Amino acid sequence: MRSALCLAFSCLTAVVVLPEAAEAACTPVTHEGARFTVCEVDLRRQSTRLFWKRADGQDYSYLSKLPDTDAATGRKLQFAMNAGMYHPDYRPVGLYVEGRRELAKASTARGPGNFHLKPNGIFFATGDRAGVMETGAFLKQKVQADVATQSGPMLVIDGKLHPRFTPQGESRKGRNGVGVRDANTVFFAISEDEVSFGTFARLFRDALKCPNALFLDGGSVPTLYIPGGVRSGNFLPLGPMVGVYGK
């Protein structure tokens, strides 16, 4: 079984590659001296899907195994990354909704690790609209979503950084997360360098202008897959994953 430390960071060991001719809107960004890759999504032209298990009940496990084409729209996979924390058996930690089906219930429990650094939150999308919301508010509003994934901590909450973050922070890790600028515009980001929560949160708030953002996961190297890359994807299995499809 994985240790509690692995539960907090999912023990990721993956290679991040951004091909020169990638069609996905993924670009390198430098913020506060650290390097990031940021992928912008316009849900009016792209679609977001979550993946955990295949139709035969087996886990997808690897980003490169996700469908090349979105069956509902005919759009091609542009990029994919891990979509949140998971238990040692790869079950999502917290709420997980895929194709309007709730496959794992929301968690409001207390506990160790990043997931339980309250407030945590939920990324969700329905059609061409998306949001990031604190868990309690999401449950209170009874949001109905096509896809939803819970993780923690929240990075940015209504324009303010998580109250537990210090300006610089002592913990520096590779990190990936998601933020929403408006109802149609989503940013997925990974750090190419090890960064603090504060730096990562300010990337979303100050550089990407996202009033709400959520930490998804992290570790030695966060995961990003772009089809056609010389090297891409993850070496070790993952739990929930998010894929973005476009033209």
Side-chain angles (χ1 to χ4, degrees), residues 201-226:
R202 288 189 293 273
L203 168 77
F204 282 101
R205 186 189 66 177
D206 301 340
L208 303 179
K209 308 302 180 185
C210 294
N212 291 283
L214 177 67
F215 175 68
L216 289 176
D217 209 350
S220 56
V221 184
T223 56
L224 173 67
Y225 170 71
I226 299 177

Side-chain angles (χ1 to χ4, degrees), residues 174-187:
R175 306 188 189 277
N176 77 306
V178 59
V180 175
R181 175 183 289 172
D182 54 53
N184 306 119
T185 309
V186 180
F187 289 93

Side-chain angles (χ1 to χ4, degrees), residues 52-61 98 101:
W52 172 24
K53 291 183 178 294
R54 303 192 306 249
D56 62 4
Q58 298 298 310
D59 292 358
Y60 275 102
S61 298
E98 179 184 321
R101 296 179 301 143

Side-chain angles (χ1 to χ4, degrees), residues 119-230:
N120 58 22
I122 294 168
F123 165 72
F124 61 95
T126 300
D128 63 358
R129 302 178 69 83
V132 168
M133 191 178 296
E134 185 271 326
T135 297
F138 181 93
L139 296 177
K140 184 177 181 179
Q141 294 187 26
K142 299 181 180 180
V143 177
Q144 301 298 309
D146 293 340
V147 297
T149 182
Q150 183 182 4
S151 191
M154 288 283 288
L155 297 170
V156 187
I157 310 159
D158 295 332
K160 297 181 180 180
L161 301 192
H162 192 289
R164 296 282 296 276
F165 296 168
T166 58
Q168 297 303 323
E170 297 182 359
S171 175
R172 285 173 169 76
K173 301 285 184 180
R175 306 188 189 277
N176 77 306
V178 59
V180 175
R181 175 183 289 172
D182 54 53
N184 306 119
T185 309
V186 180
F187 289 93
F188 292 93
I190 63 166
S191 64
E192 305 290 1
D193 299 316
E194 295 186 341
V195 297
S196 68
F197 271 131
T199 294
F200 197 41
R202 288 189 293 273
L203 168 77
F204 282 101
R205 186 189 66 177
D206 301 340
L208 303 179
K209 308 302 180 185
C210 294
N212 291 283
L214 177 67
F215 175 68
L216 289 176
D217 209 350
S220 56
V221 184
T223 56
L224 173 67
Y225 170 71
I226 299 177
V230 177

